[in-house]
Short mmCIF file of all heavy atoms in Angstrom, two decimals:
data_model
loop_
_atom_site.label_atom_id
_atom_site.label_comp_id
_atom_site.label_asym_id
_atom_site.label_seq_id
_atom_site.Cartn_x
_atom_site.Cartn_y
_atom_site.Cartn_z
N SER A 1 50.77 57.20 39.69
CA SER A 1 52.06 56.57 39.89
C SER A 1 52.75 57.24 41.07
O SER A 1 52.79 58.47 41.15
CB SER A 1 52.94 56.71 38.64
OG SER A 1 54.29 56.40 38.91
N MET A 2 53.30 56.45 41.98
CA MET A 2 54.03 57.03 43.10
C MET A 2 55.41 57.52 42.67
O MET A 2 55.91 58.52 43.17
CB MET A 2 54.18 55.99 44.22
CG MET A 2 52.91 55.77 45.01
SD MET A 2 52.42 57.25 45.94
CE MET A 2 53.77 57.36 47.11
N LEU A 3 56.05 56.81 41.73
CA LEU A 3 57.42 57.15 41.35
C LEU A 3 57.51 58.25 40.30
O LEU A 3 58.41 59.07 40.35
CB LEU A 3 58.15 55.89 40.86
CG LEU A 3 58.51 54.86 41.93
CD1 LEU A 3 59.19 53.66 41.30
CD2 LEU A 3 59.41 55.49 42.99
N ASN A 4 56.60 58.25 39.33
CA ASN A 4 56.69 59.23 38.25
C ASN A 4 55.29 59.63 37.78
O ASN A 4 54.85 59.23 36.70
CB ASN A 4 57.52 58.69 37.09
CG ASN A 4 58.01 59.79 36.17
OD1 ASN A 4 57.44 60.87 36.11
ND2 ASN A 4 59.08 59.50 35.43
N PRO A 5 54.58 60.44 38.57
CA PRO A 5 53.23 60.86 38.17
C PRO A 5 53.16 61.59 36.83
O PRO A 5 52.24 61.34 36.05
CB PRO A 5 52.80 61.78 39.33
CG PRO A 5 53.61 61.32 40.49
CD PRO A 5 54.94 60.92 39.91
N PRO A 6 54.11 62.50 36.51
CA PRO A 6 54.02 63.17 35.20
C PRO A 6 54.08 62.20 34.02
O PRO A 6 53.38 62.39 33.02
CB PRO A 6 55.22 64.12 35.21
CG PRO A 6 55.46 64.40 36.66
CD PRO A 6 55.18 63.08 37.33
N ALA A 7 54.93 61.18 34.12
CA ALA A 7 55.01 60.20 33.03
C ALA A 7 53.69 59.46 32.87
O ALA A 7 53.25 59.18 31.75
CB ALA A 7 56.15 59.21 33.29
N HIS A 8 53.06 59.13 34.00
CA HIS A 8 51.75 58.49 33.93
C HIS A 8 50.75 59.40 33.25
O HIS A 8 49.97 58.96 32.39
CB HIS A 8 51.27 58.14 35.33
CG HIS A 8 49.87 57.62 35.36
ND1 HIS A 8 49.54 56.31 35.07
CD2 HIS A 8 48.68 58.25 35.62
CE1 HIS A 8 48.23 56.15 35.15
NE2 HIS A 8 47.69 57.31 35.48
N ALA A 9 50.74 60.69 33.62
CA ALA A 9 49.79 61.64 33.04
C ALA A 9 49.99 61.78 31.53
O ALA A 9 49.02 61.92 30.78
CB ALA A 9 49.92 63.00 33.72
N LYS A 10 51.24 61.73 31.09
CA LYS A 10 51.52 61.89 29.66
C LYS A 10 50.91 60.78 28.82
O LYS A 10 50.68 60.97 27.62
CB LYS A 10 53.03 61.97 29.43
CG LYS A 10 53.64 63.30 29.84
CD LYS A 10 55.13 63.34 29.56
CE LYS A 10 55.70 64.69 29.94
NZ LYS A 10 57.16 64.78 29.64
N LYS A 11 50.68 59.64 29.43
CA LYS A 11 50.01 58.54 28.72
C LYS A 11 48.51 58.53 28.99
O LYS A 11 47.71 58.35 28.07
CB LYS A 11 50.62 57.19 29.12
CG LYS A 11 49.97 56.02 28.38
CD LYS A 11 50.57 54.69 28.77
CE LYS A 11 50.02 53.57 27.89
NZ LYS A 11 48.53 53.50 27.90
N ALA A 12 48.14 58.72 30.25
CA ALA A 12 46.73 58.59 30.63
C ALA A 12 45.86 59.70 30.05
O ALA A 12 44.72 59.44 29.65
CB ALA A 12 46.60 58.58 32.16
N VAL A 13 46.36 60.93 30.00
CA VAL A 13 45.53 62.04 29.53
C VAL A 13 45.24 61.94 28.03
O VAL A 13 44.08 62.06 27.62
CB VAL A 13 46.17 63.40 29.89
CG1 VAL A 13 45.37 64.54 29.28
CG2 VAL A 13 46.22 63.56 31.41
N PRO A 14 46.24 61.71 27.16
CA PRO A 14 45.91 61.53 25.74
C PRO A 14 44.97 60.36 25.49
O PRO A 14 44.09 60.44 24.61
CB PRO A 14 47.28 61.30 25.08
CG PRO A 14 48.24 61.97 25.98
CD PRO A 14 47.70 61.74 27.37
N ASP A 15 45.13 59.27 26.25
CA ASP A 15 44.22 58.13 26.09
C ASP A 15 42.79 58.55 26.45
O ASP A 15 41.83 58.17 25.76
CB ASP A 15 44.65 56.97 26.99
CG ASP A 15 45.90 56.26 26.48
OD1 ASP A 15 46.30 56.51 25.32
OD2 ASP A 15 46.45 55.44 27.24
N ALA A 16 42.64 59.32 27.53
CA ALA A 16 41.31 59.77 27.95
C ALA A 16 40.74 60.76 26.94
O ALA A 16 39.53 60.73 26.65
CB ALA A 16 41.39 60.42 29.33
N PHE A 17 41.56 61.62 26.39
CA PHE A 17 41.13 62.58 25.36
C PHE A 17 40.55 61.85 24.16
O PHE A 17 39.45 62.16 23.69
CB PHE A 17 42.33 63.44 24.96
CG PHE A 17 42.14 64.27 23.72
CD1 PHE A 17 41.24 65.33 23.71
CD2 PHE A 17 42.88 64.00 22.57
CE1 PHE A 17 41.08 66.10 22.57
CE2 PHE A 17 42.72 64.77 21.44
CZ PHE A 17 41.82 65.83 21.44
N ARG A 18 41.29 60.88 23.67
CA ARG A 18 40.81 60.11 22.51
C ARG A 18 39.53 59.35 22.85
O ARG A 18 38.58 59.32 22.05
CB ARG A 18 41.91 59.15 22.05
CG ARG A 18 41.57 58.38 20.78
CD ARG A 18 42.77 57.63 20.25
NE ARG A 18 43.33 56.71 21.23
CZ ARG A 18 44.48 56.92 21.88
NH1 ARG A 18 45.18 58.01 21.65
NH2 ARG A 18 44.92 56.03 22.75
N ARG A 19 39.48 58.77 24.05
CA ARG A 19 38.30 58.02 24.45
C ARG A 19 37.07 58.91 24.56
O ARG A 19 35.96 58.51 24.16
CB ARG A 19 38.57 57.33 25.80
CG ARG A 19 37.46 56.40 26.25
CD ARG A 19 37.83 55.67 27.52
NE ARG A 19 37.93 56.55 28.69
CZ ARG A 19 39.07 56.91 29.26
NH1 ARG A 19 40.23 56.47 28.78
NH2 ARG A 19 39.06 57.70 30.32
N LYS A 20 37.26 60.12 25.07
CA LYS A 20 36.13 61.04 25.20
C LYS A 20 35.59 61.44 23.83
O LYS A 20 34.37 61.48 23.61
CB LYS A 20 36.54 62.30 25.98
CG LYS A 20 36.71 62.05 27.47
CD LYS A 20 35.42 61.53 28.08
CE LYS A 20 35.61 61.10 29.51
NZ LYS A 20 34.42 60.38 30.03
N LEU A 21 36.46 61.74 22.90
CA LEU A 21 35.98 62.09 21.55
C LEU A 21 35.24 60.92 20.92
O LEU A 21 34.22 61.11 20.25
CB LEU A 21 37.15 62.52 20.67
CG LEU A 21 37.78 63.88 20.98
CD1 LEU A 21 38.89 64.19 19.99
CD2 LEU A 21 36.74 65.00 20.95
N GLU A 22 35.73 59.72 21.15
CA GLU A 22 35.04 58.54 20.62
C GLU A 22 33.65 58.39 21.23
O GLU A 22 32.68 58.09 20.53
CB GLU A 22 35.87 57.29 20.88
CG GLU A 22 37.14 57.24 20.05
CD GLU A 22 38.06 56.08 20.40
OE1 GLU A 22 37.83 55.44 21.45
OE2 GLU A 22 39.01 55.82 19.63
N GLU A 23 33.55 58.63 22.53
CA GLU A 23 32.24 58.54 23.19
C GLU A 23 31.29 59.62 22.68
O GLU A 23 30.13 59.33 22.35
CB GLU A 23 32.42 58.71 24.71
CG GLU A 23 33.11 57.54 25.39
CD GLU A 23 33.38 57.83 26.86
OE1 GLU A 23 32.96 58.91 27.35
OE2 GLU A 23 34.01 56.98 27.53
N TRP A 24 31.77 60.84 22.61
CA TRP A 24 30.90 61.96 22.21
C TRP A 24 30.40 61.80 20.78
O TRP A 24 29.23 62.05 20.50
CB TRP A 24 31.64 63.28 22.36
CG TRP A 24 32.11 63.56 23.76
CD1 TRP A 24 31.70 62.96 24.92
CD2 TRP A 24 33.13 64.49 24.14
NE1 TRP A 24 32.38 63.47 26.00
CE2 TRP A 24 33.27 64.40 25.56
CE3 TRP A 24 33.93 65.40 23.45
CZ2 TRP A 24 34.17 65.20 26.28
CZ3 TRP A 24 34.83 66.19 24.16
CH2 TRP A 24 34.94 66.08 25.55
N PHE A 25 31.30 61.41 19.89
CA PHE A 25 30.93 61.33 18.48
C PHE A 25 30.34 59.96 18.10
O PHE A 25 30.03 59.73 16.94
CB PHE A 25 32.13 61.68 17.59
CG PHE A 25 32.37 63.16 17.49
CD1 PHE A 25 33.14 63.81 18.44
CD2 PHE A 25 31.78 63.90 16.49
CE1 PHE A 25 33.35 65.18 18.38
CE2 PHE A 25 31.98 65.27 16.41
CZ PHE A 25 32.77 65.91 17.36
N SER A 26 30.19 59.09 19.08
CA SER A 26 29.43 57.85 18.88
C SER A 26 28.07 57.93 19.55
O SER A 26 27.29 56.97 19.50
CB SER A 26 30.22 56.64 19.42
OG SER A 26 31.43 56.48 18.71
N ASN A 27 27.78 59.08 20.17
CA ASN A 27 26.45 59.31 20.74
C ASN A 27 25.41 59.21 19.62
O ASN A 27 25.57 59.82 18.57
CB ASN A 27 26.43 60.70 21.37
CG ASN A 27 25.09 61.07 21.96
OD1 ASN A 27 24.16 61.39 21.23
ND2 ASN A 27 24.99 61.06 23.27
N PRO A 28 24.34 58.43 19.81
CA PRO A 28 23.38 58.22 18.72
C PRO A 28 22.82 59.50 18.13
O PRO A 28 22.66 59.61 16.90
CB PRO A 28 22.27 57.39 19.39
CG PRO A 28 22.97 56.66 20.49
CD PRO A 28 24.01 57.60 21.00
N ALA A 29 22.52 60.49 18.96
CA ALA A 29 21.98 61.75 18.44
C ALA A 29 22.99 62.48 17.58
O ALA A 29 22.65 63.08 16.55
CB ALA A 29 21.53 62.65 19.61
N VAL A 30 24.25 62.42 17.97
CA VAL A 30 25.32 63.08 17.19
C VAL A 30 25.54 62.34 15.87
O VAL A 30 25.66 62.96 14.81
CB VAL A 30 26.61 63.13 18.02
CG1 VAL A 30 27.78 63.62 17.17
CG2 VAL A 30 26.42 64.03 19.24
N VAL A 31 25.54 61.01 15.93
CA VAL A 31 25.73 60.22 14.70
C VAL A 31 24.62 60.52 13.70
O VAL A 31 24.86 60.73 12.51
CB VAL A 31 25.78 58.72 15.03
CG1 VAL A 31 25.75 57.87 13.76
CG2 VAL A 31 27.03 58.39 15.84
N ARG A 32 23.36 60.55 14.19
CA ARG A 32 22.22 60.84 13.29
C ARG A 32 22.34 62.24 12.69
O ARG A 32 22.07 62.44 11.50
CB ARG A 32 20.91 60.71 14.04
CG ARG A 32 20.48 59.29 14.34
CD ARG A 32 19.03 59.22 14.80
NE ARG A 32 18.80 60.01 16.01
CZ ARG A 32 18.92 59.53 17.25
NH1 ARG A 32 19.29 58.27 17.43
NH2 ARG A 32 18.70 60.29 18.29
N ALA A 33 22.72 63.19 13.51
CA ALA A 33 22.79 64.59 13.04
C ALA A 33 23.86 64.78 11.98
O ALA A 33 23.74 65.67 11.12
CB ALA A 33 23.04 65.51 14.22
N LEU A 34 24.91 63.99 12.02
CA LEU A 34 25.99 64.14 11.04
C LEU A 34 25.65 63.52 9.70
O LEU A 34 26.35 63.78 8.70
CB LEU A 34 27.28 63.50 11.57
CG LEU A 34 28.07 64.33 12.59
CD1 LEU A 34 29.16 63.48 13.24
CD2 LEU A 34 28.67 65.57 11.95
N GLN A 35 24.60 62.70 9.62
CA GLN A 35 24.26 62.03 8.38
C GLN A 35 23.73 63.01 7.34
O GLN A 35 23.10 63.99 7.66
CB GLN A 35 23.22 60.92 8.63
CG GLN A 35 23.70 59.88 9.64
CD GLN A 35 25.06 59.31 9.31
OE1 GLN A 35 25.25 58.77 8.22
NE2 GLN A 35 25.99 59.42 10.23
#
């Protein structure tokens, strides 16, 4: 964001954090290992 980069980061970073955990823990090898 040109006008308010910190406000953008406050939304974009938590969204990316959640998305990364979803990707990592949906990895087929990880899913199998947790069973």
Side-chain angles (χ1 to χ4, degrees):
S1 166
M2 284 295 294
L3 288 178
N4 198 337
H8 173 82
K10 285 182 178 181
K11 181 180 187 305
V13 174
D15 287 349
F17 168 68
R18 185 170 57 253
R19 186 176 68 253
K20 287 301 172 190
L21 289 182
E22 290 174 348
E23 290 174 3
W24 301 343
F25 281 86
S26 297
N27 178 284
V30 172
V31 171
R32 286 193 300 270
L34 281 169
Q35 302 308 303

